[in-house]
Amino acid sequence: MQVQQLRYFVAVAQTRHFTRAAELTGVSQPSMSKQIRVLENSLGTPLFVRNRGAIDLTSAGEALLPHAERILIDVEVAEEAVQEVAGLRRGRVRLGATPSLCDGLLPEVLTAFHRRRPGIDLEVHESGSRLLMQELARGHLDLALNIVSATIEHDGLVTTELLTEQLVLVGPPHSELAAEVALRDLRDVPLVMAREGYDLRDRTNAACREAGFDPVIAVEGGEMSAVLRFVEAGLGHAIVPQMVVATRPQLAVARLVSPTLTRTIGVSHRDEQAMSLAARAFRDELVRALG
């Protein structure tokens, strides 16, 4: 069993397609198929069920997949340990972040880190905090920049709180918003809501219900950038993180009171031994910039 064979196996298992997996790993499809057959022969059992137009894992393939993913992570950590000796000239960080954090604080941190470590490849994956934590636990991410109150505990993961920020109410340009708005006064105000599973949507719904009403939804289903555009177009108001307001200075902004709404941002990672050195360096960058 060779590491490269495991890479090919995991690529096919994730894409369920030999051609796409070959493209992702930079090898010809016939070569990949041959190496997987060699792997199957060495294990004495098929790993895939090859049907016309569909590739499925056999029970043996299902059993091998989590072990193969962990082996590849360990290999990557070992490679990057050697690279640190050479000054972290090469490496990769797979960072997960919520869309609002991608729109807000992340660009400046990425720019500063890239300036210091130009040889480190940065991959950013946008999703909600719960899904990010799941992907981190599976080894598909190195770090997750998320909303602490929305995260789910996973064994072997550590979360460091970085900062707490306020949520604010935004309205269309030139709307007559007071400087402060009580949450109960939004009872009949049409709101633009993010998609289901988005942390901010859950927080908004919960806050409105605690204030004694269900929110009136004008539009729903967008990511943060879409929510801000819909508000800008006059479709309704929205409760958003204060940091994203800077990206839309034309919007009217009011501070929420009675109660004040906040969220805490943290960075999550696997335990120190499982972290790559490039990921540690980027985690330290986040703590310096935001902690």
Side-chain angles (χ1 to χ4, degrees):
M1 186 184 301
Q2 300 177 3
V3 171
Q4 196 65 14
Q5 291 170 346
L6 293 178
R7 286 198 178 99
Y8 297 157
F9 164 71
V10 170
V12 176
Q14 290 176 347
T15 62
R16 301 301 170 99
H17 197 281
F18 275 87
T19 301
R20 283 198 293 270
E23 292 172 352
L24 287 173
T25 54
V27 67
S28 68
Q29 191 270 332
S31 295
M32 169 173 281
S33 297
K34 179 180 178 181
Q35 287 302 311
I36 288 179
R37 283 195 298 271
V38 171
L39 177 60
E40 290 174 323
N41 290 337
S42 69
L43 293 172
T45 183
L47 300 173
F48 296 103
V49 178
R50 297 163 174 83
N51 297 319
R52 183 179 296 275
I55 300 292
D56 292 313
L57 284 166
T58 63
S59 57
E62 293 281 2
L64 176 62
L65 182 58
H67 298 287
E69 289 176 332
R70 173 54 59 187
I71 289 169
L72 294 179
I73 291 170
D74 290 342
V75 168
E76 183 176 348
V77 171
E79 290 173 344
E80 292 196 353
V82 175
Q83 291 163 13
E84 186 180 46
V85 176
L88 266 180
R89 290 193 294 267
R90 293 188 300 111
R92 179 180 62 155
V93 177
R94 300 165 300 172
L95 173 68
T98 66
S100 62
L101 297 178
C102 288
D103 284 345
L105 57 83
L106 191 55
E108 291 185 7
V109 178
L110 289 172
T111 299
F113 183 79
H114 182 68
R115 187 179 298 118
R116 272 192 284 273
R117 305 284 190 183
I120 304 298
D121 294 330
L122 299 170
E123 297 179 12
V124 179
H125 304 259
E126 290 187 60
S127 192
S129 293
R130 292 179 181 83
L131 182 57
L132 291 176
M133 292 293 280
Q134 292 170 7
E135 293 298 289
L136 182 62
R138 292 170 183 159
H140 297 164
L141 295 173
D142 300 307
L143 299 168
L145 192 60
N146 50 43
I147 311 307
V148 173
S149 60
T151 59
I152 299 174
E153 293 297 326
H154 289 271
D155 291 340
L157 297 186
V158 179
T159 297
T160 302
E161 294 186 5
L162 297 175
L163 61 90
T164 298
E165 68 164 342
Q166 289 191 341
L167 303 181
V168 298
L169 181 71
V170 294
H174 312 302
S175 63
E176 297 180 359
L177 274 182
E180 295 184 346
V181 174
L183 189 64
R184 62 180 177 273
D185 294 335
L186 300 182
R187 179 182 299 270
D188 298 316
V189 175
L191 296 178
V192 178
M193 287 281 197
R195 59 174 172 80
E196 287 282 357
Y198 197 94
D199 311 315
L200 187 61
R201 179 191 179 106
D202 296 339
R203 185 74 177 94
T204 300
N205 279 328
C208 290
R209 286 165 186 156
E210 288 171 7
F213 66 95
D214 288 323
V216 177
I217 300 178
V219 183
E220 62 180 326
E223 301 286 352
M224 179 55 62
S225 58
V227 168
L228 295 174
R229 287 198 300 270
F230 293 155
V231 173
E232 189 175 15
L235 292 170
H237 292 64
I239 295 175
V240 301
Q242 189 171 26
M243 69 174 61
V244 305
V245 173
T247 67
R248 295 290 196 284
Q250 65 273 30
L251 293 177
V253 182
R255 182 170 173 266
L256 285 168
V257 296
S258 302
T260 298
L261 300 184
T262 63
R263 69 174 187 172
T264 300
I265 297 165
V267 58
S268 300
H269 56 82
R270 295 185 298 279
D271 61 68
E272 292 289 332
Q273 289 185 340
M275 284 182 72
S276 72
L277 296 167
R280 290 184 197 176
F282 192 82
R283 187 268 315 271
D284 293 343
E285 182 76 36
L286 286 169
V287 172
R288 279 195 300 271
L290 308 175

